[in-house]
Amino acid sequence: AMAELLGPHGLVVFRPTHPAAKRAMAPWLLRLLDQAAPLGAALAATARALERDGRPVPVAVDEAATVVMIEDALGRDRLLRDGAGFVTRRGGGRLGRADLERIAREEPQRLSPNVLARPVVEAAILPTVAYVAGPGELAYLPQAVPVYQTLDVVAQAAVPRWSGFVVEGRVRKVLDKYHIAPDALKRPAAHLPGSLDAADPPSSL
């Protein structure tokens, strides 16, 4: 639907679940699994550094967990390091390097990057100038730095995605009357502009 709607305007829609995309991603995911131990340590160190700086750490980090997901008996599951091999977090299925190499070759649709690896793998297979992201994605991109470094991929420039409010006409009138910007309504009522007379609050707010 997106391609049909936007194609005439020159926009190409990329579907990461397409078999060709999965085949292109698979070698990069194997590289991430080969570097799972040092990458896990680097991701944990990055999370601690962000916390010390008072910055958000929206993605929980477990040094034993890889950044690769696999479709298994219980659905999409996280691969964890387990000795010289891997195990699925929920299903407990054990996989060696040879098993994962076979899956990457014969069933690449079963493998996918997690939230931290996804923008990196996308940049690896489709070199990208800018990554237009929402607030959540922008918050976790700093956590993904070790993944970019592990794959030696140049990070895309992060660009905030457009966002806005839809304000009803009657609410707009009240806001205009009291000279209140819509953004001010995100804050507690006590922080609303002083022009709003607390003794006569607008009922619409």
Side-chain angles (χ1 to χ4, degrees):
M2 291 287 287
E4 191 73 20
L5 179 65
L6 301 172
H9 300 286
L11 185 67
V12 176
V13 179
F14 173 71
R15 187 158 60 91
T17 55
H18 190 280
K22 287 290 191 176
R23 284 194 298 273
M25 290 182 183
W28 296 95
L29 298 177
L30 288 177
R31 285 179 60 183
L32 289 172
L33 290 173
D34 288 340
Q35 297 297 317
L39 176 57
L43 287 170
T46 297
R48 290 192 295 269
L50 291 171
E51 285 178 338
R52 284 196 302 270
D53 293 343
R55 299 172 66 187
V57 184
V59 181
V61 175
D62 176 350
E63 285 197 39
T66 74
V67 292
V68 177
M69 313 291 289
I70 188 168
E71 288 289 339
D72 213 358
L74 297 180
R76 192 167 183 256
D77 209 347
R78 186 81 166 267
L79 282 171
L80 309 179
R81 287 188 297 111
D82 182 51
F86 301 89
V87 62
T88 53
R89 185 193 294 275
R90 290 182 292 118
R94 296 188 178 278
L95 296 158
R97 178 62 169 75
D99 299 317
L100 291 163
E101 191 171 340
R102 180 193 58 77
I103 290 170
R105 183 176 62 252
E106 300 175 5
E107 304 175 277
Q109 69 277 8
R110 292 180 58 193
L111 299 174
S112 59
N114 84 334
V115 68
L116 292 180
R118 188 183 69 238
V120 186
V121 173
E122 288 174 356
I125 64 173
L126 292 171
T128 309
V129 173
Y131 187 80
V132 182
E137 293 169 306
L138 290 176
Y140 68 65
L141 278 178
Q143 282 190 258
V145 169
V147 189
Y148 285 98
Q149 294 170 339
T150 296
L151 294 183
D152 195 23
V153 170
V154 177
Q156 315 94 319
V159 178
R161 186 174 65 217
W162 180 88
S163 63
F165 290 93
V166 176
V167 181
E168 294 181 53
R170 63 190 183 89
V171 174
R172 177 80 264 177
K173 289 178 182 178
V174 174
L175 295 177
D176 289 345
K177 177 181 178 181
Y178 290 93
H179 308 290
I180 300 172
D183 278 344
L185 299 180
K186 294 180 181 179
R187 303 193 296 270
H191 293 254
L192 288 175
S195 58
L196 178 59
D197 184 0
D200 182 26
S203 59
S204 296
L205 296 178

